[in-house]
Amino acid sequence: MRKLIPISIAAAAALFATSGVAVGYQVMEKTVELSVDGVPTTVTTFRSDVGDLLEQQGLEVGPNDVVAPAAETPIDDGDRVTVQYGRQVTVDVDGTEQTHWTTATTVGEALALLQIKAEGAELSTSRSAGIGREGLAFSVDTLKELTLVVGGKKRTVESTAATVREVLADADVETDRDDRVHPALGTEVEDGTKITVVRVEVKDVKKTSAVAHKTVRQETDDLDKGTTRVQTEGKDGERTTVITQTRENGKVVKEKEKSSEVTTEPVDEVVLVGTRVEAPAPAPRKQSSSSSSSGSSSGGSSSSDSDTDSGSDDSSSSSSGSDAVWDRLAQCESGGNWSINTGNGYYGGVQFSAQTWKAYGGKGLPHENSKAEQIRIAKKLQAAAGWGQWPHCSAKLGLR
């Protein structure tokens, strides 16, 4: 059987003292998990609170840093202490710059913590990009729903552009200096902004219009009274007018005359109006019954009558003028051409009308007859109606 060996009181006391130190050492030492910006480590410490622990680890914290639990909180074995350093982040959101402190360590976390609308947004850096303790600056162009009214046609677009100019560029809408854009091209846009583009076109348009011709009536004694003849056909001219026309979205809203001129002059219509009055044909001469009786009973009386008639013919011939006079008249009327047909209704050397020619016994048309025949008929006309049948030339020649 085993034997019990007694221990002296001194030895026992010494053993107790030694065991007490070990027990005390074990009670003061603590094992704590320390997480700094999401990176955990296990540390052993004799410190009593969080602040002391951080000081032991050489970790300095400021007012923008987050420590959990608080620095004055006592720590026990197995506790977990978290430190999140604050970072200054400068974010340009749709052209507006803002600065924030955040404990986020990535751009994506920062957007979530700052409650910045980033779905569909365009970022200047990656969402997974880290944010160091020195901070970070980046921009965010948010996705906006916009209304475009271009040339009167409406549509809805989504864009991350910051200004009206950029929105139009993204939508492939081109404008020129005449177009009107509202709001102005440099205006910043936000969700729901309405952009209107009025297409303005300014151009010159030519228009033509007729210039009415005039009618000129000229009296002439070359035509019988009551008759007319168109000497010159009238023709309308043309006026060209240039108009500066302004259209908005295809509709004319303004017109201004730029110039107007007659590009084709009108041609006046000239109408000849007859003033000539035809003399009636003379009635045939009737012989008296006494002359007939005398003539039938006595040759002398007949001779005497013959002489009287001959004298009458000489007188008629004298008053009608010599052939030389008729040559001069023909020279004035027709250039001395006894066979002329001018096509104006007058014929021959002294320009008979067909009506007058036939009224005084002429055959066919005047120009188809000999000069002598024309003079013979002319003398009959002159004897019946006078030199006024040739008003211009007879006056010119001093015949009346």
Side-chain angles (χ1 to χ4, degrees):
M1 86 182 301
R2 294 178 61 186
K3 292 182 179 181
L4 295 176
I5 301 174
I7 300 176
S8 66
I9 295 174
L15 178 60
F16 177 79
T18 303
S19 298
V21 171
V23 170
Y25 176 79
Q26 290 176 357
V27 170
M28 294 177 65
E29 185 181 46
K30 308 172 187 71
T31 300
V32 178
E33 181 181 302
L34 177 61
S35 175
V36 180
D37 287 335
V39 180
T41 56
T42 300
V43 297
T44 301
T45 184
F46 293 100
R47 301 301 177 95
S48 61
D49 59 31
V50 173
D52 290 340
L53 173 64
L54 297 181
E55 182 181 0
Q56 176 193 346
Q57 297 297 316
L59 300 176
E60 296 182 2
V61 294
N64 296 307
D65 302 325
V66 176
V67 178
E72 64 274 11
T73 303
I75 55 175
D76 294 317
D77 186 52
D79 282 350
R80 187 174 187 273
V81 177
T82 300
V83 178
Q84 291 179 299
Y85 284 109
R87 291 147 167 85
Q88 190 177 55
V89 177
T90 301
V91 187
D92 185 314
V93 180
D94 293 333
T96 302
E97 190 175 277
Q98 45 188 273
T99 300
H100 301 277
W101 282 91
T102 178
T103 58
T105 57
T106 67
V107 170
E109 291 174 1
L111 293 174
L113 288 174
L114 299 175
Q115 296 183 337
I116 294 175
K117 179 184 175 182
E119 184 179 354
E122 185 176 327
L123 278 63
S124 62
T125 187
S126 169
R127 294 172 187 267
S128 61
I131 302 176
R133 290 187 61 184
E134 70 279 5
L136 182 68
F138 61 94
S139 63
V140 179
D141 293 327
T142 62
L143 185 65
K144 296 166 280 290
E145 187 174 283
L146 310 165
T147 300
L148 290 184
V149 182
V150 181
K153 297 181 179 179
K154 182 178 178 181
R155 59 177 166 142
T156 301
V157 298
E158 289 186 336
S159 176
T160 58
T163 65
V164 171
R165 179 181 284 104
E166 294 170 356
V167 170
L168 295 179
D170 286 350
D172 295 327
V173 176
E174 296 181 356
T175 61
D176 60 28
R177 63 181 183 179
D178 293 325
D179 294 337
R180 293 204 314 271
V181 181
H182 181 79
L185 292 173
T187 304
E188 293 182 359
V189 297
E190 58 187 22
D191 194 47
T193 295
K194 179 181 179 180
I195 301 172
T196 302
V197 178
V198 178
R199 295 298 194 192
V200 180
E201 182 183 15
V202 180
K203 67 177 181 179
D204 289 341
V205 178
K206 287 185 178 181
K207 294 184 178 181
T208 58
S209 58
V211 179
H213 69 273
K214 297 178 181 179
T215 299
V216 179
R217 298 174 70 86
Q218 294 181 353
E219 292 186 346
T220 177
D221 53 15
D222 289 338
L223 295 176
D224 292 336
K225 187 174 182 178
T227 63
T228 59
R229 176 164 53 89
V230 176
Q231 185 181 53
T232 305
E233 290 286 345
K235 185 177 181 181
D236 287 348
E238 186 174 81
R239 176 179 293 275
T240 300
T241 303
V242 178
I243 296 174
T244 300
Q245 199 175 75
T246 302
R247 292 174 177 264
E248 292 185 0
N249 295 337
K251 296 181 179 180
V252 177
V253 296
K254 183 180 178 182
E255 286 187 329
K256 183 179 180 181
E257 185 176 296
K258 185 176 182 180
S259 64
S260 181
E261 62 177 337
V262 176
T263 47
T264 303
E265 293 290 343
V267 177
D268 289 346
E269 182 168 288
V270 179
V271 178
L272 299 179
V273 180
T275 60
R276 182 173 62 198
V277 178
E278 295 287 356
R285 182 179 299 175
K286 295 182 179 180
Q287 291 182 333
S288 65
S289 58
S290 60
S291 295
S292 299
S293 299
S294 174
S296 62
S297 62
S298 171
S301 296
S302 175
S303 173
S304 176
D305 289 342
S306 176
D307 290 342
T308 301
D309 289 344
S310 175
S312 176
D313 288 344
D314 290 342
S315 174
S316 173
S317 175
S318 174
S319 63
S320 303
S322 65
D323 287 357
V325 172
W326 291 107
D327 280 333
R328 290 168 59 205
L329 186 63
Q331 185 66 38
C332 178
E333 291 285 345
S334 65
N337 186 350
W338 292 90
S339 301
I340 192 170
N341 177 4
T342 59
N344 64 353
Y346 295 88
Y347 311 88
V350 291
Q351 294 289 281
F352 277 103
S353 70
Q355 180 182 359
T356 302
W357 173 261
K358 291 178 181 179
Y360 284 88
K363 305 296 183 182
L365 291 174
H367 71 290
E368 297 171 346
N369 289 265
S370 66
K371 170 183 173 181
E373 179 63 9
Q374 291 182 50
I375 292 175
R376 186 183 75 82
I377 299 297
K379 286 180 177 181
K380 291 176 67 176
L381 174 61
Q382 191 275 333
W387 289 108
Q389 295 298 305
W390 300 273
H392 173 72
C393 287
S394 65
K396 181 178 180 182
L397 296 175
L399 297 175
R400 63 186 180 94

